Amino acid sequence: VEFLLDEDGSFYFMEMNTRLQVEHPVTEMITGQDLVRWQLLVAFGEPLPLTQEQVTIEGHAIEVRVYAEDPDNEFLPATGKLTYLRQPEANNHVRIDTGVRENDEVSTYYDPMISKLIVWDENRPRAIQRMLRALDDYRIGGLKTNLSFLTNLVETAPFQQAEIDTGFIEKHESLLFSPATQADSRAL
């Protein structure tokens, strides 16, 4: 269930979905719970394993979506073959949810998402550093991606200081969009 809390304290209902949201790995990382398992238990008529009061939150998690898209061209989807794909090593701090492999084709018929990259650490500054390392470890060849854009975003002072709103990209355009040569240099 999604709600909005306005600055003046007004509370608004937004929507209800009977499915997990794409950001559910963030919740899983900070709670240590498997929400997909919980959903299946409920579907089979079982009770939830914990009450709300029993759910604990530890640390900070960040999720980015790695896309075959061109941020410098209004984020238009990119198509092509994943001729090279090396993802960061998954561990207790780094999670990669993906459905593609090297040599797969990204076509116009499906969502161009390559993966969701989720990191966890003890606090936000450490999670940011872990995300930057994970993005730096990501290697994709054969088509345009948003990896450089994501790195630029996570590196910005406004993002690091949690000064985030729905106008973030427009407000910080000069920080987020860099010359194409920077992406090439980073890959090399």
Side-chain angles (χ1 to χ4, degrees), residues 31-99:
T31 63
Q33 302 301 320
D34 182 343
L35 297 182
V36 174
R37 180 178 169 275
W38 282 32
Q39 191 175 39
L40 292 171
L41 288 172
V42 169
F44 280 101
E46 300 290 325
L48 290 173
L50 298 174
T51 66
Q52 183 66 54
E53 294 75 26
Q54 293 172 311
V55 175
T56 59
I57 295 174
E58 289 186 40
H60 192 91
I62 301 171
E63 176 180 322
V64 298
R65 298 184 202 175
V66 178
Y67 268 89
E69 67 182 5
D70 186 356
D72 295 321
N73 192 14
E74 299 185 20
F75 297 93
L76 285 175
T79 59
K81 188 175 187 176
L82 288 163
T83 57
Y84 186 81
L85 178 63
R86 291 298 174 269
Q87 297 171 330
E89 183 178 333
N91 55 49
N92 290 337
H93 294 273
V94 179
R95 172 175 167 173
I96 300 108
D97 289 0
T98 188

Side-chain angles (χ1 to χ4, degrees), residues 136 139 147-149 151-152 155 181-188:
D136 194 46
R139 299 286 184 268
L147 284 172
S148 291
F149 173 82
T151 299
N152 290 348
E155 285 179 337
T181 54
Q182 183 179 353
D184 294 339
S185 298
R186 214 174 256 166
L188 289 173

Side-chain angles (χ1 to χ4, degrees), residues 2 17-25 27-28 34-40 95 116:
E2 293 183 34
N17 291 305
T18 55
R19 60 176 169 76
L20 289 174
Q21 295 292 334
V22 295
E23 301 85 5
H24 80 273
T27 302
E28 291 182 339
D34 182 343
L35 297 182
V36 174
R37 180 178 169 275
W38 282 32
Q39 191 175 39
L40 292 171
R95 172 175 167 173
K116 292 187 293 184

Side-chain angles (χ1 to χ4, degrees), residues 29 59-62 88-96 117-123 126-127 130-131 133-134:
M29 295 287 278
H60 192 91
I62 301 171
E89 183 178 333
N91 55 49
N92 290 337
H93 294 273
V94 179
R95 172 175 167 173
I96 300 108
L117 174 61
I118 310 97
V119 299
W120 176 92
D121 215 309
E122 295 173 7
N123 56 47
R126 288 181 65 148
R130 195 168 294 279
M131 178 59 78
R133 275 193 305 275

